[in-house]
Amino acid sequence: MPRRVPLNVLLALLLSAVALPAVLVRAAEPAPPEAVLLGETRFPAELATVDASWRVAFRTAGELRTVPASELVRWGAPRELTNQSYLLLVDGSLLAAHVLASDETQLKVESDWIGSVAIPLELIAGVLYHPPVDMPRRDRMLAELRESMIPSGADSSAADDEQPRNSDLLILENGDRLAGTITGIDETKAALETPTGPVSVEMERIVAIRFNPSLLSNIRPRGFHCLVGLSDGSLLTASELIASEGEIRLSLSCTVELKTEPGAICFLQPIGGGAVYLSDQTSESYRHVPYLTLAWPYAVDRSVSGSRLRAGGRLYVKGLGMHSAARLTYPLDKPYRRFETELAVDDETAGRGSVVFRIFVDNREAYRSPVIRGRMPPLPVAVDLREGKRLSLIVDFAERGDELDHADWLDARLVK
């Protein structure tokens, strides 16, 4: 006959089985966000405060470490968009918020982090109501709204000249586009006056609204400012930021004032400090040599396919996208100490693609990478630029020709 297991033994086994998942959950807790300073100093840190002089205090290793924001490359990482609506403001800010209603002058919105706020229509380039689930399509839609802020006639590889630039535009889920003048927006529908008469469209059918570009304010970020990411996917352009233990106040470059809670911030990246980003500079020359016949232009603050920069499982805001084999050259018209960047094959290749990165200062090869493949973590690199007059970035073929060679120069920056 089979032996019976004592009741106390059975209880002990059951308790062990219940307790095991809890141990595994504790072991899988994410590491603190990383702070990266100029000079490639890196340390895990939690954001403590930011004062009016742009001094940022971090909690790290049980201590408080304060650094000028001008010496900070980035802290943390921006979040992906969720399935809520987002406002694109004229200063480039992306604000997650639910649209309540509009009148002739402003749009009323609300969110869990910022509460209710009214924003003048001249400061809103567009609204992404239902971000597409497909990530490349979502990125293209966001890029299209951003392109609407480019003045008519300006050079833009992504601008759609077939779309009227002197009217509002509704972009529908089936791909249709309706041009006209928006006469009202509420939580259920948008009213549009078209050349053929008035039209009312349910919000469920609208993917995005692009507001009349000719009526937008020309306010743009100037001087020192900071990209501030919130945990809801917002990415704000702040001209002022005060973060204390109890409250965060932001003044956006487009003059909008916001308040939120300390736990909302997940990302900081100062612009206009000690780092000069190549994506904000004008290149001297670019040459791409196709493996067969397909030519690839380089991309600014996007991957070479036009999507947002992603590597190592995280988003990057600044950087360059290139495809093998290509050479991109920038003049060093001011004295710089170093060139710093992180090298990767973009995550959009799903682990495929392989390239070799090379960096030339004048006619001297200052750096050659090992073969960089998809899914490898970004590789930090720093090169001395003293007395250099020209910086060239080269992406070469490695394995399997040029198959999915989507090379990223992440946070590519000159150090003053």
Side-chain angles (χ1 to χ4, degrees):
M1 295 182 61
R3 297 179 60 186
R4 294 182 179 179
V5 179
L7 181 60
N8 60 336
V9 175
L10 284 174
L11 288 174
L13 289 172
L14 288 172
L15 289 173
S16 298
V18 171
L20 181 58
V23 173
L24 293 177
V25 169
R26 286 196 295 271
E29 288 181 355
E34 182 182 59
V36 180
L37 306 183
L38 295 175
E40 287 298 316
T41 299
R42 298 164 181 263
F43 55 91
E46 298 290 347
L47 181 65
T49 61
V50 182
D51 66 20
S53 301
W54 283 108
R55 292 186 62 81
V56 185
F58 295 108
R59 297 187 189 90
T60 177
E63 299 179 350
L64 203 62
R65 180 171 180 175
T66 302
V67 299
S70 59
E71 297 180 8
L72 179 67
V73 176
R74 68 173 187 269
W75 168 78
R79 300 287 173 82
E80 294 282 3
L81 304 188
T82 64
N83 60 357
Q84 62 186 311
S85 56
Y86 290 85
L87 276 64
L88 178 63
L89 307 184
V90 295
D91 65 358
S93 292
L94 194 63
L95 176 63
H98 176 66
V99 177
L100 298 176
S102 74
D103 57 28
E104 295 180 354
T105 63
Q106 61 186 9
L107 197 66
K108 296 179 180 179
V109 301
E110 69 174 4
S111 80
D112 292 338
W113 285 123
I114 66 169
S116 299
V117 63
I119 302 177
L121 286 174
E122 65 175 7
L123 301 181
I124 306 173
V127 181
L128 186 57
Y129 272 96
H130 303 293
V133 175
D134 178 67
M135 194 172 292
R137 183 167 175 248
R138 181 198 316 163
D139 291 348
R140 287 194 299 271
M141 184 65 64
L142 184 58
E144 179 179 343
L145 293 180
R146 291 190 183 280
E147 293 292 340
S148 70
M149 297 186 293
I150 298 176
S152 180
D155 182 26
S156 169
S157 60
D160 189 350
D161 295 331
E162 296 182 358
Q163 299 301 331
R165 295 186 59 85
N166 60 351
S167 64
D168 301 319
L169 190 70
L170 301 187
I171 303 173
L172 307 185
E173 61 180 357
N174 63 358
D176 289 346
R177 290 159 186 249
L178 298 176
T181 300
I182 292 176
T183 56
I185 298 175
D186 59 29
E187 295 182 80
T188 61
K189 63 183 182 301
L192 187 73
E193 187 66 37
T194 74
T196 59
V199 174
S200 180
V201 183
E202 296 82 3
M203 282 303 175
E204 292 181 354
R205 298 179 54 204
I206 300 174
V207 174
I209 292 178
R210 187 208 69 184
F211 289 107
N212 187 341
S214 65
L215 301 180
L216 297 181
S217 166
N218 61 1
I219 295 176
R220 298 294 185 270
R222 291 180 175 86
F224 185 87
H225 56 282
C226 188
L227 304 179
V228 181
L230 305 185
S231 57
D232 59 9
S234 297
L235 187 60
L236 310 174
T237 306
S239 58
E240 296 180 6
L241 171 63
I242 306 294
S244 64
E245 296 292 339
E247 185 182 63
I248 292 174
R249 289 182 285 120
L250 302 101
S251 297
L252 304 189
S253 295
C254 63
T255 70
V256 174
E257 304 287 332
L258 300 175
K259 293 182 180 180
T260 186
E261 302 173 14
I265 293 184
C266 63
F267 171 71
L268 297 175
Q269 185 158 32
I271 306 294
V276 177
Y277 289 95
L278 288 184
S279 57
D280 296 329
Q281 306 302 303
T282 301
S283 64
E284 180 179 272
S285 63
Y286 174 72
R287 184 186 180 204
H288 176 255
V289 181
Y291 187 76
L292 294 174
T293 58
L294 183 61
W296 291 85
Y298 75 96
V300 172
D301 293 336
R302 290 178 291 176
S303 76
V304 73
S305 73
S307 296
R308 301 175 82 181
L309 292 163
R310 296 178 178 89
R314 59 151 287 173
L315 273 173
Y316 288 78
V317 178
K318 307 297 294 179
L320 301 167
M322 292 173 62
H323 200 288
S324 62
R327 182 187 189 110
L328 179 61
T329 300
Y330 288 86
L332 301 176
D333 52 355
K334 297 178 182 178
Y336 295 105
R337 286 187 295 160
R338 287 185 312 280
F339 169 63
E340 300 174 352
T341 187
E342 296 180 24
L343 311 177
V345 172
D346 199 275
D347 283 353
E348 67 189 356
T349 67
R352 291 174 290 175
S354 59
V355 298
V356 172
F357 293 84
R358 301 165 67 195
I359 302 173
F360 276 73
V361 179
D362 297 330
N363 295 318
R364 174 181 61 87
E365 185 178 62
Y367 176 80
R368 180 191 292 259
S369 77
V371 175
I372 304 295
R373 302 178 181 87
R375 288 209 178 99
M376 292 177 63
L379 175 64
V381 171
V383 169
D384 194 310
L385 294 181
R386 285 172 291 187
E387 300 182 4
K389 303 298 182 184
R390 184 168 286 101
L391 173 68
S392 295
L393 310 181
I394 297 174
V395 175
D396 273 341
F397 306 120
E399 305 155 350
R400 301 177 65 86
D402 70 342
E403 181 183 358
L404 290 171
D405 285 356
H406 297 194
D408 292 342
W409 302 82
L410 302 166
D411 285 337
R413 58 196 180 270
L414 306 171
V415 181
K416 295 179 182 179

